[in-house]
Short mmCIF file of all heavy atoms in Angstrom, two decimals:
data_model
loop_
_atom_site.label_atom_id
_atom_site.label_comp_id
_atom_site.label_asym_id
_atom_site.label_seq_id
_atom_site.Cartn_x
_atom_site.Cartn_y
_atom_site.Cartn_z
N SER A 1 -25.99 -15.67 10.58
CA SER A 1 -27.23 -14.90 10.69
C SER A 1 -28.05 -14.90 9.40
O SER A 1 -29.26 -14.70 9.44
CB SER A 1 -26.89 -13.44 11.06
OG SER A 1 -26.30 -12.78 9.95
N GLY A 2 -27.40 -15.08 8.25
CA GLY A 2 -28.08 -14.96 6.97
C GLY A 2 -28.17 -13.53 6.48
O GLY A 2 -28.67 -13.27 5.38
N GLU A 3 -27.65 -12.59 7.26
CA GLU A 3 -27.66 -11.17 6.86
C GLU A 3 -26.28 -10.78 6.33
O GLU A 3 -25.28 -10.88 7.05
CB GLU A 3 -28.01 -10.28 8.05
CG GLU A 3 -27.98 -8.80 7.72
CD GLU A 3 -28.17 -7.92 8.95
OE1 GLU A 3 -28.53 -8.47 10.02
OE2 GLU A 3 -27.95 -6.70 8.83
N PHE A 4 -26.23 -10.34 5.08
CA PHE A 4 -24.96 -9.94 4.48
C PHE A 4 -24.71 -8.45 4.69
O PHE A 4 -25.60 -7.63 4.47
CB PHE A 4 -24.96 -10.26 2.98
CG PHE A 4 -24.74 -11.71 2.68
CD1 PHE A 4 -25.81 -12.59 2.59
CD2 PHE A 4 -23.46 -12.21 2.51
CE1 PHE A 4 -25.61 -13.92 2.33
CE2 PHE A 4 -23.24 -13.55 2.24
CZ PHE A 4 -24.32 -14.41 2.15
N VAL A 5 -23.48 -8.13 5.10
CA VAL A 5 -23.10 -6.75 5.35
C VAL A 5 -21.76 -6.49 4.66
O VAL A 5 -21.01 -7.43 4.38
CB VAL A 5 -22.97 -6.47 6.87
CG1 VAL A 5 -24.31 -6.65 7.56
CG2 VAL A 5 -21.91 -7.36 7.50
N PRO A 6 -21.43 -5.22 4.36
CA PRO A 6 -20.11 -4.93 3.78
C PRO A 6 -19.00 -5.42 4.71
O PRO A 6 -19.06 -5.22 5.92
CB PRO A 6 -20.09 -3.40 3.67
CG PRO A 6 -21.53 -3.01 3.63
CD PRO A 6 -22.24 -4.00 4.51
N MET A 7 -18.01 -6.09 4.15
CA MET A 7 -17.00 -6.72 4.99
C MET A 7 -16.26 -5.73 5.87
O MET A 7 -15.91 -6.04 7.00
CB MET A 7 -16.02 -7.52 4.14
CG MET A 7 -15.37 -6.74 3.02
SD MET A 7 -14.32 -7.79 2.00
CE MET A 7 -12.98 -8.15 3.13
N GLU A 8 -16.06 -4.50 5.38
CA GLU A 8 -15.32 -3.54 6.20
C GLU A 8 -16.10 -3.13 7.45
O GLU A 8 -15.52 -2.67 8.42
CB GLU A 8 -14.94 -2.30 5.38
CG GLU A 8 -16.11 -1.49 4.85
CD GLU A 8 -16.52 -1.90 3.45
OE1 GLU A 8 -16.22 -3.05 3.06
OE2 GLU A 8 -17.15 -1.07 2.76
N SER A 9 -17.42 -3.32 7.43
CA SER A 9 -18.23 -2.92 8.59
C SER A 9 -18.02 -3.85 9.78
O SER A 9 -18.44 -3.53 10.89
CB SER A 9 -19.71 -2.89 8.21
OG SER A 9 -20.22 -4.19 8.02
N LEU A 10 -17.38 -5.01 9.56
CA LEU A 10 -17.17 -5.96 10.65
C LEU A 10 -15.98 -5.61 11.52
O LEU A 10 -15.82 -6.16 12.60
CB LEU A 10 -16.97 -7.37 10.08
CG LEU A 10 -18.14 -7.93 9.28
CD1 LEU A 10 -17.80 -9.32 8.78
CD2 LEU A 10 -19.40 -7.96 10.12
N SER A 11 -15.12 -4.72 11.05
CA SER A 11 -13.92 -4.40 11.80
C SER A 11 -14.25 -3.52 13.00
O SER A 11 -15.08 -2.62 12.92
CB SER A 11 -12.89 -3.69 10.92
OG SER A 11 -11.78 -3.29 11.69
N THR A 12 -13.56 -3.77 14.12
CA THR A 12 -13.70 -2.90 15.29
C THR A 12 -12.64 -1.82 15.30
O THR A 12 -12.62 -0.98 16.19
CB THR A 12 -13.59 -3.74 16.59
OG1 THR A 12 -12.33 -4.42 16.59
CG2 THR A 12 -14.72 -4.76 16.66
N VAL A 13 -11.77 -1.84 14.29
CA VAL A 13 -10.72 -0.83 14.20
C VAL A 13 -11.34 0.47 13.70
O VAL A 13 -12.08 0.49 12.72
CB VAL A 13 -9.60 -1.29 13.23
CG1 VAL A 13 -8.52 -0.24 13.13
CG2 VAL A 13 -9.03 -2.62 13.71
N GLN A 14 -11.03 1.57 14.35
CA GLN A 14 -11.67 2.84 14.01
C GLN A 14 -11.36 3.29 12.60
O GLN A 14 -12.19 3.90 11.93
CB GLN A 14 -11.24 3.92 15.00
CG GLN A 14 -11.87 3.76 16.39
CD GLN A 14 -11.55 4.93 17.28
OE1 GLN A 14 -10.62 5.69 17.04
NE2 GLN A 14 -12.34 5.10 18.33
N ASN A 15 -10.14 3.01 12.11
CA ASN A 15 -9.78 3.46 10.78
C ASN A 15 -9.98 2.34 9.76
O ASN A 15 -9.26 2.23 8.78
CB ASN A 15 -8.34 3.96 10.71
CG ASN A 15 -7.34 2.85 11.02
OD1 ASN A 15 -7.71 1.81 11.54
ND2 ASN A 15 -6.08 3.10 10.71
N ALA A 16 -11.00 1.49 10.00
CA ALA A 16 -11.21 0.32 9.13
C ALA A 16 -11.38 0.73 7.68
O ALA A 16 -10.91 0.04 6.78
CB ALA A 16 -12.45 -0.45 9.61
N ARG A 17 -12.02 1.86 7.42
CA ARG A 17 -12.28 2.22 6.04
C ARG A 17 -10.99 2.54 5.29
O ARG A 17 -10.87 2.28 4.09
CB ARG A 17 -13.26 3.39 5.95
CG ARG A 17 -14.66 2.97 6.35
CD ARG A 17 -15.70 4.02 5.98
NE ARG A 17 -17.04 3.53 6.25
CZ ARG A 17 -17.75 2.80 5.43
NH1 ARG A 17 -17.24 2.45 4.26
NH2 ARG A 17 -18.97 2.39 5.75
N SER A 18 -10.01 3.09 5.98
CA SER A 18 -8.75 3.35 5.30
C SER A 18 -8.01 2.05 5.03
O SER A 18 -7.19 1.97 4.11
CB SER A 18 -7.86 4.26 6.18
OG SER A 18 -7.50 3.59 7.37
N TYR A 19 -8.33 1.02 5.81
CA TYR A 19 -7.70 -0.28 5.63
C TYR A 19 -8.47 -1.15 4.67
O TYR A 19 -7.91 -1.90 3.88
CB TYR A 19 -7.60 -0.97 6.99
CG TYR A 19 -7.11 -2.40 6.96
CD1 TYR A 19 -5.88 -2.73 6.43
CD2 TYR A 19 -7.90 -3.42 7.49
CE1 TYR A 19 -5.44 -4.04 6.42
CE2 TYR A 19 -7.47 -4.73 7.49
CZ TYR A 19 -6.24 -5.03 6.95
OH TYR A 19 -5.80 -6.33 6.93
N ALA A 20 -9.82 -1.07 4.74
CA ALA A 20 -10.64 -2.03 4.02
C ALA A 20 -11.65 -1.40 3.09
O ALA A 20 -12.44 -2.10 2.47
CB ALA A 20 -11.38 -2.92 5.02
N GLY A 21 -11.65 -0.13 2.95
CA GLY A 21 -12.74 0.53 2.25
C GLY A 21 -12.46 0.92 0.82
O GLY A 21 -11.86 0.17 0.05
N GLU A 22 -12.88 2.08 0.49
CA GLU A 22 -12.84 2.55 -0.89
C GLU A 22 -11.42 2.45 -1.46
O GLU A 22 -10.44 2.83 -0.83
CB GLU A 22 -13.31 4.01 -0.94
CG GLU A 22 -13.42 4.55 -2.35
CD GLU A 22 -13.95 5.97 -2.37
OE1 GLU A 22 -14.27 6.48 -1.29
OE2 GLU A 22 -14.05 6.53 -3.46
N GLY A 23 -11.35 1.92 -2.68
CA GLY A 23 -10.06 1.83 -3.36
C GLY A 23 -9.37 0.49 -3.22
O GLY A 23 -8.40 0.22 -3.91
N SER A 24 -9.87 -0.38 -2.34
CA SER A 24 -9.21 -1.65 -2.11
C SER A 24 -9.19 -2.54 -3.34
O SER A 24 -8.26 -3.32 -3.54
CB SER A 24 -9.89 -2.40 -0.96
OG SER A 24 -9.82 -1.67 0.22
N PHE A 25 -10.22 -2.42 -4.19
CA PHE A 25 -10.34 -3.28 -5.36
C PHE A 25 -10.21 -2.50 -6.67
O PHE A 25 -10.67 -2.95 -7.71
CB PHE A 25 -11.69 -4.00 -5.33
CG PHE A 25 -11.90 -4.83 -4.11
CD1 PHE A 25 -12.86 -4.48 -3.18
CD2 PHE A 25 -11.14 -5.97 -3.88
CE1 PHE A 25 -13.07 -5.24 -2.04
CE2 PHE A 25 -11.34 -6.74 -2.75
CZ PHE A 25 -12.30 -6.37 -1.83
N ARG A 26 -9.58 -1.34 -6.62
CA ARG A 26 -9.59 -0.46 -7.80
C ARG A 26 -9.01 -1.13 -9.04
O ARG A 26 -9.59 -1.05 -10.13
CB ARG A 26 -8.83 0.83 -7.47
CG ARG A 26 -8.94 1.89 -8.56
CD ARG A 26 -8.61 3.26 -8.00
NE ARG A 26 -9.57 3.64 -6.97
CZ ARG A 26 -9.26 4.43 -5.95
NH1 ARG A 26 -8.04 4.89 -5.78
NH2 ARG A 26 -10.18 4.75 -5.06
N GLN A 27 -7.88 -1.82 -8.89
CA GLN A 27 -7.26 -2.46 -10.06
C GLN A 27 -8.17 -3.57 -10.61
O GLN A 27 -8.34 -3.69 -11.83
CB GLN A 27 -5.90 -3.04 -9.67
CG GLN A 27 -5.15 -3.65 -10.85
CD GLN A 27 -3.77 -4.14 -10.44
OE1 GLN A 27 -3.44 -4.20 -9.25
NE2 GLN A 27 -2.96 -4.49 -11.42
N LEU A 28 -8.77 -4.34 -9.71
CA LEU A 28 -9.67 -5.38 -10.15
C LEU A 28 -10.92 -4.80 -10.78
O LEU A 28 -11.41 -5.33 -11.80
CB LEU A 28 -10.04 -6.27 -8.96
CG LEU A 28 -10.98 -7.43 -9.24
CD1 LEU A 28 -10.42 -8.36 -10.31
CD2 LEU A 28 -11.26 -8.21 -7.94
N GLU A 29 -11.45 -3.73 -10.23
CA GLU A 29 -12.63 -3.09 -10.80
C GLU A 29 -12.38 -2.67 -12.24
O GLU A 29 -13.22 -2.88 -13.13
CB GLU A 29 -13.01 -1.87 -9.96
CG GLU A 29 -13.59 -2.23 -8.60
CD GLU A 29 -13.63 -1.05 -7.65
OE1 GLU A 29 -12.93 -0.03 -7.90
OE2 GLU A 29 -14.35 -1.14 -6.64
N GLN A 30 -11.22 -2.09 -12.50
CA GLN A 30 -10.88 -1.68 -13.85
C GLN A 30 -10.75 -2.87 -14.79
O GLN A 30 -11.17 -2.81 -15.95
CB GLN A 30 -9.58 -0.87 -13.83
CG GLN A 30 -9.71 0.47 -13.11
CD GLN A 30 -8.37 1.15 -12.90
OE1 GLN A 30 -7.31 0.58 -13.14
NE2 GLN A 30 -8.41 2.39 -12.42
N ALA A 31 -10.20 -3.97 -14.27
CA ALA A 31 -10.04 -5.17 -15.10
C ALA A 31 -11.39 -5.82 -15.43
O ALA A 31 -11.53 -6.43 -16.49
CB ALA A 31 -9.14 -6.17 -14.39
N LEU A 32 -12.36 -5.67 -14.55
CA LEU A 32 -13.67 -6.28 -14.75
C LEU A 32 -14.59 -5.43 -15.61
O LEU A 32 -15.52 -5.95 -16.23
CB LEU A 32 -14.35 -6.54 -13.40
CG LEU A 32 -13.68 -7.53 -12.46
CD1 LEU A 32 -14.44 -7.59 -11.13
CD2 LEU A 32 -13.59 -8.91 -13.08
N ASP A 33 -14.35 -4.15 -15.67
CA ASP A 33 -15.25 -3.23 -16.37
C ASP A 33 -15.36 -3.60 -17.85
O ASP A 33 -14.34 -3.76 -18.54
CB ASP A 33 -14.75 -1.79 -16.23
CG ASP A 33 -15.84 -0.77 -16.44
OD1 ASP A 33 -17.04 -1.14 -16.38
OD2 ASP A 33 -15.51 0.42 -16.65
N GLY A 34 -16.56 -3.77 -18.32
CA GLY A 34 -16.79 -4.17 -19.70
C GLY A 34 -16.74 -5.67 -19.93
O GLY A 34 -16.94 -6.14 -21.04
N ARG A 35 -16.50 -6.43 -18.87
CA ARG A 35 -16.41 -7.89 -18.98
C ARG A 35 -17.44 -8.55 -18.06
O ARG A 35 -17.18 -9.56 -17.43
CB ARG A 35 -15.00 -8.37 -18.64
CG ARG A 35 -13.90 -7.76 -19.50
CD ARG A 35 -12.58 -8.48 -19.26
NE ARG A 35 -12.68 -9.89 -19.67
CZ ARG A 35 -11.82 -10.84 -19.25
NH1 ARG A 35 -10.86 -10.53 -18.39
NH2 ARG A 35 -11.96 -12.09 -19.66
#
């Protein structure tokens, strides 16, 4: 489509955010901060 959306929004699973949402990249986010 050419339209980018948050990847977790593609799931049809009702609890997708607990699976794919906030906190999924926390360790990587900390490693990238300041770099």
Side-chain angles (χ1 to χ4, degrees):
S1 71
E3 177 187 349
F4 283 90
V5 297
M7 54 184 291
E8 63 268 22
S9 71
L10 299 180
S11 176
T12 57
V13 180
Q14 287 187 341
N15 63 345
R17 290 192 174 275
S18 66
Y19 173 58
E22 185 177 358
S24 299
F25 302 112
R26 188 160 297 150
Q27 184 177 9
L28 180 58
E29 289 165 343
Q30 294 171 351
L32 296 176
D33 202 17
R35 302 190 63 199

